[in-house]
Amino acid sequence: MNAFAKTLTGPVIRLHPDDNVVVARIPVAPGTAIPGEGITSRDEVKPGYKIASRAIARGEPVQKYSTTIGFAAEDIPAGAMVHSHNIEFREFDRDYAHARDYKPVELLPEAERATFQGIVRPDGRVATRNYIGIISTVNCSATVVHGVADYFTPERLADYPNVDGVVALAHQLGCGMELSGEPMALLRRTMAGYIRHPNLSAAVVIGLGCERNQIAGLMLEQGLEVSDNLKTFTMQETGGTRKSIEAGIEAVKAMLPEANKVTRQTVSASHLTVGLQCGGSDGFSSITANPALGAAMDILVRHGGTAILSETPEIYGVEHTLTRRAVSREVGEKLIERIRWWKDDYNKGRDTQINGVVSPGNQAGGLANIFEKSLGSSMKGGTGPLMEVYKYAEPVTTRGFVFMDTPGYDPVSATGQVAGGANLIAFTTGRGSMFGAKPVPSIKLATNTPMFTRLEEDMDINCGLIMDGEVSMQEMGERIFRLLLDTASGKKSKSEELGVGRYEFVPWQIGVMA
């Protein structure tokens, strides 16, 4: 069934024979005998937390999935709870062994590949949704952008049933920042990635007029041109707030008839590009939802599709498991270069998770540090070869399993993935993250049944069924894959039903503010 099938009825889960910890499946009271381990619990242990399966000497590596997640900060007796209070986070050597374990994917013949009902654009790219986007160049035009989008209520779009909506894409950047260099380049390629995204049939770009991120500079640098489905204007030239909202509304009205002409047709699953996210992770993330999503991505990649793993701080400590599977040394070294930039430049000396401490929610869910969180986070990408590494919001052109450098903060990370071309988002959560990312549908995967039951209105699939012993890991991977196909075909996700995703366009701010 799966690696821990024999322990699914017991109080703990053993993940690997070499581990010196086991994971509590249910609440474990002090004095509880642990079947098969020959130990008795010394502490009250919450579900998802770890218990020492033998005595662990001070300084000895703590092993989970036969992977080091830290070092014993003190002598830990068998049966004691193991968490941040007695695990020390410190650096240790890792053998990157670039491309040593690379194995090419055996792609299914095209005739055998799964299909979905997609929207084929004139250039051959395939959309999963059909929106019109209203994009601000600067925060100063954010109110106008939302004013335009808010006008187009479901009632006003009733005559255009093939248009999923008009979405505002406002942000907090665009001025008071560096005029050139990577911060501005990153913002502009993020905006251009959305403007060009197949899920937008048309776009309106609105600026203030005096900002540093000038429309003319954006258009020139990104090779964009005004056309029937791309309009631009500035508030200062148009006549202010009210007149700019009116002008934006009129521009969208003119775009709607053409946008409504789309029809869905049968296309290969090779046209799917899935951005992988996790948020509100817990001790079960690495046991259920993340590996199950990884199993789904292994299926997708065999069908010719693309999986984008991201959140660079959340692979730190296990990056060697990715470089070993890289298609080449060059690709592996690209990943390590990004890790070093984070550690040596961007986050050096700062209290961020890549330097050890994860969020209070992660800790409350049973994760001791970033090494343990990364162990689970990296599983979302599956077991296949790493084919390429991209900077934030760069267009993803290589198919298969790839990596994009992003922060771990979910809205920022997903924004980069969508800008890169993701037309679906798959989001695992143990604590219960509520997330959407218009114009791309997001599905949310719960790690455990109690949370799924409590937050079922927001969760799309319950991966806790693996831990409950009802389905195998591979069966859940198949379910996730089928849900992705259905969602890509137009089935609304839970976040779409709730209207989530109106404010989650958050480009990464890497530069200084002035």
Side-chain angles (χ1 to χ4, degrees):
M1 185 176 178
N2 54 51
F4 47 89
K6 294 180 181 179
T7 67
L8 288 171
T9 57
V12 302
I13 300 168
R14 171 164 285 279
L15 298 171
H16 193 278
D18 296 339
D19 289 353
N20 51 18
V21 297
V22 291
V23 178
R25 186 181 69 85
I26 57 177
V28 177
T32 301
I34 307 299
E37 297 294 336
I39 60 173
T40 299
S41 173
R42 291 170 172 261
D43 305 302
E44 182 177 344
V45 183
K46 297 177 182 179
Y49 281 62
K50 299 166 291 299
I51 302 172
S53 58
R54 61 168 177 79
I56 307 173
R58 180 178 179 179
E60 184 180 349
V62 177
Q63 296 281 301
K64 181 178 179 182
Y65 276 113
S66 191
T67 300
T68 298
I69 61 169
F71 300 85
E74 58 191 45
D75 290 339
I76 304 175
M81 185 176 76
V82 181
H83 195 45
S84 53
H85 67 288
N86 56 11
I87 292 182
E88 179 185 0
F89 173 86
R90 70 169 189 255
E91 298 292 350
F92 63 97
D93 290 335
R94 299 182 282 281
D95 181 8
Y96 295 135
H98 296 290
R100 185 190 69 188
D101 300 332
Y102 167 72
K103 293 180 181 179
V105 174
E106 294 184 9
L107 292 171
L108 291 171
E110 289 195 21
E112 298 178 18
R113 294 180 186 177
T115 61
F116 69 98
Q117 297 301 301
I119 300 166
V120 181
R121 298 300 186 188
D123 61 4
R125 295 180 305 153
V126 176
T128 58
R129 293 293 184 269
N130 187 40
Y131 279 91
I132 293 175
I134 316 299
I135 303 173
S136 65
T137 60
V138 65
N139 183 253
C140 306
S141 57
T143 296
V144 169
V145 162
H146 279 285
V148 174
D150 289 347
Y151 173 85
F152 292 95
T153 61
E155 293 75 20
R156 286 176 170 145
L157 290 175
D159 292 335
Y160 307 98
N162 297 325
V163 176
D164 291 301
V166 179
V167 58
L169 300 167
H171 55 88
Q172 296 182 1
L173 302 176
C175 205
M177 60 185 293
E178 299 162 74
L179 190 58
S180 60
E182 178 61 6
M184 183 64 78
L186 182 153
L187 174 59
R188 286 177 171 173
R189 69 174 177 261
T190 303
M191 293 177 61
Y194 273 71
I195 292 169
R196 294 193 182 98
H197 199 283
N199 280 18
L200 291 188
S201 62
V204 179
V205 181
I206 303 174
L208 175 63
C210 59
E211 63 270 23
R212 288 200 155 205
N213 183 28
Q214 289 283 300
I215 289 178
L218 166 70
M219 302 289 281
L220 179 63
E221 182 179 298
Q222 293 296 321
L224 299 168
E225 295 182 358
V226 172
S227 64
D228 289 343
N229 61 359
L230 177 56
K231 301 297 183 182
T232 70
F233 57 89
T234 64
M235 296 167 62
Q236 290 171 351
E237 293 181 355
T238 305
T241 301
R242 181 181 59 80
K243 290 183 178 179
S244 295
I245 293 173
E246 291 173 351
I249 290 170
E250 292 305 312
V252 173
K253 285 181 177 178
M255 294 169 166
L256 281 169
E258 188 65 25
N260 192 56
K261 291 180 180 179
V262 301
T263 57
R264 289 185 178 269
Q265 61 190 75
T266 302
V267 294
S268 169
S270 62
H271 292 288
L272 290 182
T273 299
V274 183
L276 309 175
Q277 291 291 319
C278 58
S281 300
D282 68 355
F284 295 127
S285 294
S286 67
I287 298 174
T288 60
N290 287 354
L293 180 53
M297 292 304 97
D298 284 344
I299 297 169
L300 174 65
V301 168
R302 289 197 300 273
H303 285 261
T306 302
I308 309 175
L309 182 66
S310 297
E311 302 173 300
T312 309
E314 298 178 12
I315 63 155
Y316 180 63
V318 297
E319 68 273 13
H320 57 291
T321 65
L322 301 178
T323 58
R324 293 173 182 180
R325 291 151 46 195
V327 66
S328 66
R329 183 180 187 88
E330 178 187 19
V331 168
E333 288 181 341
K334 280 185 180 181
L335 182 61
I336 300 309
E337 186 276 327
R338 289 288 82 202
I339 291 280
R340 287 173 178 157
W341 177 81
W342 273 86
K343 287 290 289 181
D344 298 339
D345 297 328
Y346 193 54
N347 278 245
K348 188 174 183 179
R350 298 182 183 275
D351 184 16
T352 56
Q353 68 173 351
I354 198 170
N355 291 320
V357 181
V358 293
S359 71
N362 292 154
Q363 293 186 57
L367 298 177
N369 57 41
I370 190 56
F371 289 161
E372 185 175 12
K373 184 176 182 179
S374 294
L375 176 62
S377 179
S378 64
M379 293 178 178
K380 302 193 300 291
T383 61
L386 176 65
M387 301 304 295
E388 187 56 278
V389 173
Y390 293 94
K391 289 185 178 181
Y392 186 89
E394 286 185 332
V396 173
T397 56
T398 299
R399 288 186 176 177
F401 168 49
V402 303
F403 186 86
M404 176 180 285
D405 178 30
T406 77
Y409 183 35
D410 307 312
V412 179
S413 182
T415 294
Q417 292 175 332
V418 173
N423 52 16
L424 285 172
I425 297 290
F427 192 119
T428 68
T429 181
R431 304 285 291 172
S433 288
M434 323 303 171
F435 185 79
K438 291 181 180 181
V440 171
S442 302
I443 65 165
K444 291 185 288 297
L445 293 72
T447 72
N448 62 89
T449 298
M451 185 275 284
F452 176 83
T453 302
R454 187 171 67 253
L455 301 175
E456 190 168 355
E457 187 179 25
D458 286 272
M459 299 296 122
D460 293 277
I461 195 164
N462 180 20
C463 297
L465 295 176
I466 299 170
M467 194 166 54
D468 298 341
E470 296 187 23
V471 298
S472 71
M473 189 72 72
Q474 194 58 38
E475 288 169 341
M476 184 58 71
E478 291 280 356
R479 290 190 186 186
I480 295 169
F481 179 62
R482 294 297 162 187
L483 178 59
L484 289 169
L485 293 174
D486 290 344
T487 305
S489 298
K491 177 183 177 180
K492 284 190 175 183
S493 67
K494 293 290 185 70
S495 64
E496 289 180 296
E497 294 283 3
L498 291 167
V500 181
R502 298 177 63 205
Y503 304 101
E504 284 75 4
F505 175 68
V506 190
W508 188 9
Q509 178 183 317
I510 64 171
V512 298
M513 285 291 184

